[in-house]
Amino acid sequence: MNTDHLRAFVAAVDEGTFDAAAALLQISGSAFSQRIKALEREVGHVLVTRTVPVVPTESGAELLRIARQTVMLEDEARRSLGFHRIPGEAAPTVTLSVAVNADSLASWFLRVLQEAATWDDVELHFYAEDQEHTHELLRNGTVAAAVAENPAPVSGCRSTVLGVMRYWPVASTELLDRHRSPSGTVDWHRVPLVEYGIRDSLQRAGLRRLGVTGTPATHMVPSVEAYNAAVGYGLGWGMIPESMMPPGVMEGTHRDLAIVEEIGLQETTLHWQHWSSTTSAMDRLSAAVHRAAARMR
């Protein structure tokens, strides 16, 4: 398949509109539409919906991963061979799309960004998703690599262990006291909790260990910093990574926050998965991820 057509297909999905994708590729809107139509004629299927945002059809989703791999390999080849389409044009960059859970992205993964700041041949596009679901983005071709909880490699991918993230249940002492019975026990059916998003299952798993089957009041706070602040303010209790714990909480000396001992520690083993058809840019990223993960705690 024509790589220009595949590149247009990937751009349409990533940018969300034909106009934005055409601007990215620096071609006219009509020329862009012709590339999409030519690819669809070649494969015999409609690949994208003509909606805003553009989304791949079922057939398009099957082709998307192959298209991304082809574009990545072409960019890597152009870069390594010093091939330019226009004399004097800057060497093309290699785009690496990566899915990372928000807690990792806000903590140990920052060292990857620090190291990548010295690379002038790579563009990094990050997708924040819960670690239980990042492998889905890898499977459908949205990303080329992912920090995932699932150890089983996605078809056509490699999987290696990164390390363990430790989460502790934390609550404000004032919040717990408000829901404490005269005998001193906390009614966990009534204590509100804070979740990062609808796919955040850490808190629910903790409640199941206590035998709580109901649904307490649940606050959604889709920001790592704001989530930790919400727990600190007493909006609800939540699971906080050990590396982000406020000073004094682990030692039991914090004035307002405490570890919820009855829920206990929860450990999550993280894995690095990426396409098997690797490139030097992907190898460099993988090495940086493993170096950063070695200092996860």
Side-chain angles (χ1 to χ4, degrees), residues 239-258:
M239 304 292 288
I240 295 182
E242 188 171 281
S243 60
M244 298 183 184
M245 199 67 70
V249 176
M250 296 295 300
E251 298 79 10
T253 59
H254 197 285
R255 185 179 65 180
D256 302 313
L257 296 176

Side-chain angles (χ1 to χ4, degrees), residues 8-273:
F9 170 49
V10 171
V13 174
D14 288 349
E15 296 301 309
T17 68
F18 278 20
D19 288 342
L24 178 69
L25 298 181
Q26 298 182 335
I27 59 177
S28 68
S30 60
F32 183 88
S33 294
Q34 289 303 313
R35 291 186 183 185
I36 297 296
K37 290 177 182 177
L39 181 60
E40 290 178 329
R41 284 196 301 270
E42 186 173 6
V43 301
H45 293 276
V46 175
L47 298 175
V48 293
T49 63
R50 271 59 170 179
T51 58
V52 178
V54 169
V55 294
T57 62
E58 183 176 350
S59 298
E62 294 180 6
L63 180 63
L64 183 59
R65 181 167 146 186
I66 296 173
R68 287 191 189 279
Q69 289 176 321
T70 303
V71 169
M72 183 180 73
L73 291 171
E74 183 190 62
D75 288 343
E76 179 76 11
R78 288 179 178 278
R79 183 80 193 187
S80 62
L81 295 174
F83 175 80
H84 311 306
R85 296 184 178 185
I86 301 174
E89 181 186 51
T93 57
V94 177
T95 300
L96 299 178
S97 299
V98 185
V100 187
N101 60 305
D103 290 330
S104 292
L105 193 56
S107 55
W108 64 269
F109 206 90
L110 291 175
R111 296 187 179 94
V112 178
L113 307 186
Q114 183 179 20
E115 191 167 337
T118 63
W119 306 341
D120 61 358
D121 58 345
V122 174
E123 289 183 4
L124 295 175
H125 295 181
F126 289 105
Y127 294 76
E129 178 59 275
D130 188 85
Q131 64 268 14
E132 294 183 28
H133 303 282
T134 50
H135 67 283
E136 297 173 4
L137 297 178
L138 190 61
R139 180 179 292 111
N140 64 27
T142 299
V143 300
V147 174
E149 183 176 342
N150 191 339
V154 171
S155 177
C157 296
R158 304 174 186 175
S159 178
T160 53
V161 176
L162 288 175
V164 176
M165 285 198 74
R166 295 160 59 90
Y167 290 84
W168 292 93
V170 177
S172 74
T173 52
E174 188 275 333
L175 177 69
L176 296 179
D177 288 342
R178 276 196 284 123
H179 297 89
R180 200 181 300 277
S181 68
S183 64
T185 60
V186 175
D187 183 359
W188 289 103
H189 292 85
R190 296 175 54 240
V191 182
L193 59 89
V194 185
E195 290 186 344
Y196 181 84
I198 59 175
R199 289 187 162 189
D200 182 5
S201 62
L202 287 175
Q203 290 72 222
R204 304 292 174 142
L207 290 177
R208 285 195 296 270
R209 289 197 294 272
L210 292 177
V212 177
T213 57
T215 305
T218 302
H219 303 284
M220 293 286 185
V221 184
S223 159
V224 173
E225 294 79 7
Y227 178 97
N228 295 343
V231 172
Y233 294 147
L235 184 66
W237 72 273
M239 304 292 288
I240 295 182
E242 188 171 281
S243 60
M244 298 183 184
M245 199 67 70
V249 176
M250 296 295 300
E251 298 79 10
T253 59
H254 197 285
R255 185 179 65 180
D256 302 313
L257 296 176
I259 299 291
V260 182
E261 298 293 346
E262 55 262 51
I263 294 179
L265 168 71
Q266 185 160 324
E267 295 184 330
T268 299
T269 302
L270 299 179
H271 302 79
W272 177 244
Q273 294 203 28

